[in-house]
Amino acid sequence: MQGEDDAELTAAVLAAQDGDETAFRTVYRTVHPRLLGYVRTLVGDLDAEDVASEAWLQIARDLDRFSGDADRFRGWAARIARNRALDHIRMRGRRPAIGGDETELTGRPAEADTAGEAIESLSTDAALALIAQLPQDQAEAVVLRVVVGLDAKSAADTLGKRPGAVRTAAHRGLKRLAELMGAEGPAQGQGLGAVPPQPDPHGRAVPPPSCVTHSRTRTQKDM
């Protein structure tokens, strides 16, 4: 299904570049929800729609300059959205708390994998509510990797960092999300096909298995 979805988005982008307005609406409907989620991690709920609209105006204006497939388009759109968000932040006199250690990962604890799989089962609002509690660099890395669906290199290009730094931030963010989901309990997992968590033999609730909410999600195993 992922390949089919990517092929459809690639075809829609190409048609939109030829002036097909219906194809552009298809591109918008496909990409906008995840792009908006990313913008929300940068500017908050109040301004996210306005900033995303500014990003789409630039995407539409510069679309004929874009070259690439669906995955490259997601990364290109995310870079535009991030630039518009940072412009917005500068105009308001605020700075995002972006930073973090750029050490390459040498290990990937199991709880981070569990968090990535569980995040896939949450509704967008529930997932972003948890992600918003992370440091900004971790929040951006997790959203770009798990929600937007970029690989480490594309996410790194978007953030202007090395792929190793993005893997590190995503790993730490997913590990922290595992802790947050344990503290929040199962009520967060309702939405977009989530199933109730099942108790393990010791009576602890465990996240539902692989309830994927979209075709481009990746767990920490893929990072």
Coordinates of all heavy atoms in Angstrom, one line a residue, residues 106-139:
T106 N 24.5 4.4 19.3 CA 25.1 3.0 19.2 C 24.1 2.0 19.7 O 24.4 0.8 19.5 CB 26.3 3.0 20.2 OG1 25.9 3.3 21.5 CG2 27.4 4.0 19.7
G107 N 23.0 2.3 20.3 CA 22.1 1.3 20.7 C 20.6 1.9 20.6 O 20.5 3.1 20.7
R108 N 19.7 1.0 20.5 CA 18.3 1.4 20.4 C 17.4 0.6 21.4 O 17.0 -0.5 21.0 CB 17.8 1.3 19.0 CG 18.5 2.1 18.0 CD 17.9 1.9 16.6 NE 18.6 2.8 15.6 CZ 19.6 2.4 14.9 NH1 20.2 1.2 15.1 NH2 20.2 3.3 14.1
P109 N 17.2 1.1 22.6 CA 16.5 0.3 23.6 C 15.1 -0.1 23.1 O 14.5 0.7 22.4 CB 16.4 1.2 24.8 CG 17.6 2.1 24.7 CD 17.8 2.3 23.2
A110 N 14.6 -1.2 23.6 CA 13.3 -1.7 23.1 C 12.1 -0.7 23.4 O 11.2 -0.6 22.7 CB 13.0 -3.0 23.8
E111 N 12.2 0.1 24.6 CA 11.1 0.9 24.9 C 10.9 2.0 23.8 O 9.8 2.5 23.6 CB 11.3 1.6 26.3 CG 12.6 2.4 26.4 CD 13.7 1.6 27.0 OE1 13.7 0.4 26.8 OE2 14.5 2.2 27.7
A112 N 12.0 2.4 23.1 CA 11.8 3.4 22.1 C 11.0 2.8 20.9 O 10.2 3.4 20.3 CB 13.2 3.9 21.6
D113 N 11.3 1.5 20.6 CA 10.6 0.9 19.5 C 9.1 0.8 19.9 O 8.2 1.0 19.1 CB 11.1 -0.6 19.3 CG 12.5 -0.6 18.9 OD1 13.0 0.4 18.2 OD2 13.2 -1.6 19.2
T114 N 8.8 0.5 21.1 CA 7.4 0.4 21.6 C 6.7 1.7 21.5 O 5.6 1.8 21.0 CB 7.4 -0.1 23.1 OG1 8.0 -1.4 23.2 CG2 5.9 -0.2 23.6
A115 N 7.4 2.8 21.8 CA 6.8 4.1 21.7 C 6.5 4.5 20.3 O 5.4 5.0 20.0 CB 7.8 5.2 22.3
G116 N 7.4 4.1 19.3 CA 7.1 4.4 17.9 C 5.9 3.7 17.4 O 5.1 4.2 16.7
E117 N 5.8 2.4 17.8 CA 4.6 1.6 17.4 C 3.3 2.2 18.0 O 2.3 2.2 17.4 CB 4.8 0.2 17.8 CG 6.0 -0.5 17.0 CD 6.4 -1.8 17.6 OE1 5.8 -2.2 18.6 OE2 7.3 -2.4 17.0
A118 N 3.4 2.6 19.3 CA 2.2 3.0 20.0 C 1.8 4.4 19.4 O 0.6 4.7 19.3 CB 2.5 3.1 21.5
I119 N 2.7 5.3 19.1 CA 2.4 6.6 18.6 C 1.6 6.4 17.3 O 0.7 7.2 17.0 CB 3.6 7.4 18.3 CG1 4.1 8.1 19.6 CG2 3.4 8.5 17.3 CD1 3.2 9.1 20.2
E120 N 1.9 5.4 16.5 CA 1.2 5.1 15.2 C -0.3 4.9 15.5 O -1.1 5.1 14.6 CB 1.8 4.0 14.5 CG 3.2 4.2 14.0 CD 3.9 3.0 13.4 OE1 3.2 1.9 13.4 OE2 5.0 3.1 13.0
S121 N -0.6 4.3 16.7 CA -2.0 4.0 17.0 C -2.8 5.1 17.5 O -4.0 5.0 17.6 CB -2.0 2.8 18.0 OG -1.7 3.3 19.3
L122 N -2.2 6.2 17.8 CA -2.9 7.3 18.4 C -3.5 8.2 17.3 O -3.1 8.3 16.2 CB -2.0 8.2 19.2 CG -1.3 7.5 20.4 CD1 -0.4 8.5 21.1 CD2 -2.3 6.9 21.4
S123 N -4.6 8.9 17.7 CA -5.1 10.0 16.8 C -4.1 11.1 16.7 O -3.2 11.2 17.5 CB -6.4 10.6 17.3 OG -6.1 11.3 18.5
T124 N -4.1 11.9 15.6 CA -3.2 13.0 15.5 C -3.2 13.9 16.7 O -2.1 14.3 17.2 CB -3.5 13.8 14.2 OG1 -3.4 12.9 13.1 CG2 -2.5 14.9 14.0
D125 N -4.3 14.3 17.2 CA -4.4 15.2 18.3 C -3.7 14.6 19.6 O -3.0 15.3 20.3 CB -5.8 15.6 18.6 CG -6.4 16.5 17.6 OD1 -5.6 17.1 16.8 OD2 -7.6 16.7 17.5
A126 N -4.0 13.3 19.8 CA -3.5 12.7 21.0 C -2.0 12.5 20.9 O -1.2 12.8 21.8 CB -4.1 11.3 21.2
A127 N -1.5 12.2 19.7 CA -0.1 12.0 19.5 C 0.6 13.3 19.7 O 1.7 13.4 20.4 CB 0.2 11.4 18.1
L128 N 0.1 14.4 19.1 CA 0.8 15.7 19.1 C 0.7 16.3 20.5 O 1.6 17.0 20.9 CB 0.2 16.6 18.1 CG 0.4 16.3 16.6 CD1 -0.3 17.2 15.7 CD2 1.9 16.3 16.3
A129 N -0.3 16.0 21.3 CA -0.4 16.4 22.7 C 0.8 15.8 23.5 O 1.3 16.5 24.3 CB -1.7 16.0 23.3
L130 N 1.1 14.6 23.2 CA 2.2 14.0 23.9 C 3.5 14.5 23.4 O 4.4 14.8 24.2 CB 2.2 12.4 23.7 CG 1.1 11.7 24.5 CD1 1.2 10.2 24.2 CD2 1.3 11.8 26.0
I131 N 3.7 14.6 22.1 CA 4.9 15.1 21.5 C 5.2 16.5 21.9 O 6.4 16.9 22.1 CB 4.8 15.0 19.9 CG1 4.8 13.5 19.5 CG2 6.0 15.7 19.3 CD1 4.5 13.3 18.1
A132 N 4.2 17.3 22.1 CA 4.4 18.7 22.5 C 5.1 18.8 23.9 O 5.6 19.9 24.2 CB 3.0 19.4 22.6
Q133 N 5.1 17.8 24.6 CA 5.8 17.8 25.9 C 7.3 17.5 25.8 O 8.0 17.6 26.8 CB 5.1 16.7 26.9 CG 3.6 17.0 27.1 CD 3.0 15.9 28.0 OE1 3.6 15.6 29.1 NE2 1.9 15.3 27.6
L134 N 7.7 17.2 24.6 CA 9.1 16.9 24.4 C 9.9 18.2 24.2 O 9.4 19.2 23.8 CB 9.3 16.0 23.2 CG 8.7 14.6 23.2 CD1 8.9 14.0 21.9 CD2 9.2 13.8 24.3
P135 N 11.3 18.2 24.4 CA 12.1 19.3 23.9 C 11.9 19.5 22.4 O 11.7 18.5 21.7 CB 13.5 18.8 24.3 CG 13.3 17.9 25.4 CD 12.0 17.2 25.1
Q136 N 12.1 20.7 22.0 CA 11.8 21.0 20.6 C 12.5 20.2 19.6 O 12.0 19.7 18.6 CB 12.1 22.5 20.3 CG 11.6 23.0 18.9 CD 10.1 23.1 18.9 OE1 9.4 23.4 19.9 NE2 9.5 22.7 17.7
D137 N 13.8 19.9 19.8 CA 14.6 19.2 18.8 C 14.1 17.7 18.7 O 14.0 17.1 17.7 CB 16.1 19.2 19.1 CG 16.4 18.5 20.5 OD1 15.7 18.7 21.4 OD2 17.4 17.8 20.5
Q138 N 13.7 17.2 19.9 CA 13.1 15.8 19.9 C 11.8 15.8 19.2 O 11.4 14.9 18.5 CB 13.1 15.3 21.3 CG 14.4 15.1 22.0 CD 14.3 14.6 23.4 OE1 13.3 14.2 23.9 NE2 15.4 14.8 24.1
A139 N 10.9 16.8 19.5 CA 9.6 16.9 19.0 C 9.6 16.9 17.5 O 8.9 16.2 16.8 CB 8.8 18.1 19.5

